[in-house]
């Protein structure tokens, strides 16, 4: 029997997941997640992170990610997974986060002792003990400084694919250089979370891939090379501290002897460069051609689509990243995703089942109750000071709040993702909250589009496994076409289509208008939306 197994890993905000796929059977044969809070309580994270400074500073712990990797592999050994049959491995990680390492990092990786843990051997390599991650919004000043040096917003977007954003690696590196100058000088290499974990498996410094590299404000989005102007605007001698950039499908080498000795991987297991979670999800969900879009409802909510051509968002809200196929993807990211939904669930002590039941039994339009759901600082639209605004209800209204948070999230998503949307016929859903059919029904009604729900909700880990199979077969000259590869795989998955209820499309169109007015009232000194809200109530609810 031919056993062509491929492993995809995903280091997300709250967990590290591994999915093993059997290429011949076109299915995932095993998946397991290490939850940072529960399985590694000694790191004292909450939802995988450390929050300080009123929610502005958000870091995580790179040593914890390493321990999670070993826990995951120990689990594989415990249940006798045939790791020796894995042909190739690739990975995915939360985007933008940076890891700062001293000059001993690579030499330590090259002589790892398999009788000891990884964490005990690399504990002293960090020049910054914790890593700023995508939820951090403490670099507004640095964003302004870099944007100014690059000639303003439009030229920053044209150069790097995005305006400067607080969570992007460049502004974060600049803050470190300004505030911890000596530590910056002692830093030999700065990795993304993806290239850091990729280096651990490889046993030496790994390159950064074009897809994740685009989330740094440092890579030129057209040439896909480090942009000297952007580097100079960020911190001195930065080029020397960054790994090289490569295509997302490139093989970086074979697995480090540490993992061969300790976990019995085959010595010739190929490693394919890691990438960001959103680019990986693009593959895991099968978006390798134009005309389809996806929503990922994880810790962050994202809306993204494959782009054949480079098409930037000059309004400055969206991003263009690389796609693992070598093309591009457009993306809009919201920080108030699952954790905002959980705030309401926990405020009323509900289970997800009870939460869903309320969604099912409350009217679309919520009797005109509208929320602006900034439980945490928001990325799109930019809100640095978290506050939850309620129009027509208060925080004690159980049903009103449950429906309002979900409607708000998708109204906002529809409003701010217009530039990347080509009126898709179908939106693919992934991430932890995509298991919730009631949430997806509201999304379908608001977008007025079919939503497709998949059996595998961790499309990032699946995407990494699929990427590794593609690069492996390409290297053996048995070329597999991207679209064919993902479609075979996805066809076999059980998937459910949620259809919009067309009866509500006019209501949601009108509500989008009122939502927009509420947002502009609060964030841009727009006029009072109350009369519009009252008219909306009169039209749909006062009967
Ligand atoms: P990430 O990969 O960003 O760490 P996941 O995609 O694993 O996150 O999603 C985790 C989130 O999924 C949890 O924070 C939780 O709120 C949400 N979730 C899990 N089950 C449900 C459900 N039935 N309804 C709504 N949300 C859910
Ligand atoms: C994307 C973003 C998040 C993280 C965490 O720009 O910041 O989606 O990748 O998932």
């Amino acid at each position: 029997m031919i056993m062509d197994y491929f492993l995809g890993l995903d280091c997300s905000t709250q967990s590290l997941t591994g999915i093993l796929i059997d290429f011949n059977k076109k299915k995932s044969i095993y998946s397991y997640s290490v939850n940072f809070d529960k399985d590694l309580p000694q790191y004292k994270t909450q939802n995988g992170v450390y929050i300080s400074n009123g929610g502005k500073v958000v870091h995580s712990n790179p040593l914890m990610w390493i321990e999670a990797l070993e826990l995951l592999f120990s689990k594989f050994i415990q249940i006798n997974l045939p790791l020796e049959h894995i042909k190739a491995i690739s990975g995915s990680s939360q985007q933008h986060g940076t890891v700062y390492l001293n000059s001993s990092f690579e030499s330590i990786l090259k002589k790892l002792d398999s009788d000891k843990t990884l964490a005990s051997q690399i504990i002293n390599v960090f020049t910054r003990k914790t890593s700023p991650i995508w939820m951090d919004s403490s670099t507004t000043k640095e964003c302004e400084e870099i944007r100014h040096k690059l000639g303003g917003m439009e030229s920053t977007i044209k150069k790097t694919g995005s305006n400067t954003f607080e969570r992007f690696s460049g502004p974060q590196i600049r803050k470190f250089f300004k505030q911890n100058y000596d530590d910056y000088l002692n830093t030999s290499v700065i990795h993304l979370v993806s290239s850091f974990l990729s280096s651990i498996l490889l046993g030496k410094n790994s390159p950064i891939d074009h897809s994740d590299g685009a989330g740094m404000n440092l890579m030129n989005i057209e040439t896909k090379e480090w942009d000297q102007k952007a580097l100079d605007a960020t911190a001195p001698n930065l080029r020397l501290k960054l790994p090289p950039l490569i295509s997302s499908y490139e093989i970086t080498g074979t697995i480090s002897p540490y993992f061969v000795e300790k976990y019995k991987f085959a010595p010739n297991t190929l490693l394919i460069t890691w990438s960001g979670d959103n680019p990986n999800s693009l593959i895991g969900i099968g978006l390798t051609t134009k005309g389809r879009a996806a929503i990922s409802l994880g810790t962050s909510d994202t809306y993204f689509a494959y782009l054949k051509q480079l098409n930037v968002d000059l309004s400055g809200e969206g991003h263009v990243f690389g796609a693992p196929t070598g093309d591009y993807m457009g993306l809009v990211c919201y920080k108030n995703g699952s954790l905002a939904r959980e705030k309401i669930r926990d405020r009323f002590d509900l289970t997800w089942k009870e939460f869903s039941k309320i969604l099912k039994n409350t009217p679309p339009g919520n009797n005109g109750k509208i929320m602006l759901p900034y439980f945490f600082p928001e990325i799109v639209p930019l809100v640095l000071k978290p506050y939850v605004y309620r129009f027509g209800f208060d925080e004690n209204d159980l049903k009103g709040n449950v429906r309002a948070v979900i409607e708000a999230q998708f109204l906002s998503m529809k409003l701010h993702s217009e530039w990347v949307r080509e009126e898709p016929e179908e939106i693919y859903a992934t991430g932890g909250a995509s298991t919730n059919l009631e949430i997806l029904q509201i999304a379908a009604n608001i977008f007025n589009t079919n939503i497709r729900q998949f059996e595998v909700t961790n499309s990032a880990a699946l995407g990494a496994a699929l990427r590794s199979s593609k690069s492996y077969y390409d290297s053996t000259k048995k070329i597999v076409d991207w679209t064919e590869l993902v479609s075979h795989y996805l066809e076999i998955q059980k998937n459910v289509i949620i259809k919009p209820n067309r009866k509500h499309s006019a209501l949601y169109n009108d509500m989008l208008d009122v939502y927009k007015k509420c947002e502009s009232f609060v964030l841009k000194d727009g006029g009072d939306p109350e009369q519009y809200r009252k008219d909306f109530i009169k039209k749909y609810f006062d009967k």
Side-chain angles (χ1 to χ4, degrees), residues 10-15 17 33 47 134 277 296-300 337-339 341-342 345 352-353 355-356 430-437 439 457-458 460:
D10 174 38
C11 181
S12 72
T13 316
Q14 305 191 52
S15 56
T17 302
S33 277
N47 298 112
W134 69 274
D277 53 0
S296 168
L297 309 175
T299 309
S300 62
S338 282
L339 300 185
R341 292 184 279 275
E342 284 178 20
R345 184 199 62 179
W352 282 126
K353 216 169 159 190
F355 188 97
S356 306
T430 182
S434 70
T435 49
N436 192 316
L437 284 175
I439 293 181
T457 57
N458 193 323

Side-chain angles (χ1 to χ4, degrees), residues 13 94-96 134 167 277-278 300 302 319 321 331 333:
T13 316
Q94 49 172 300
Q95 299 197 247
H96 318 295
W134 69 274
R167 70 191 192 287
D277 53 0
N278 294 295
S300 62
T302 56
H319 317 298
F321 296 151
L331 177 137
C333 180

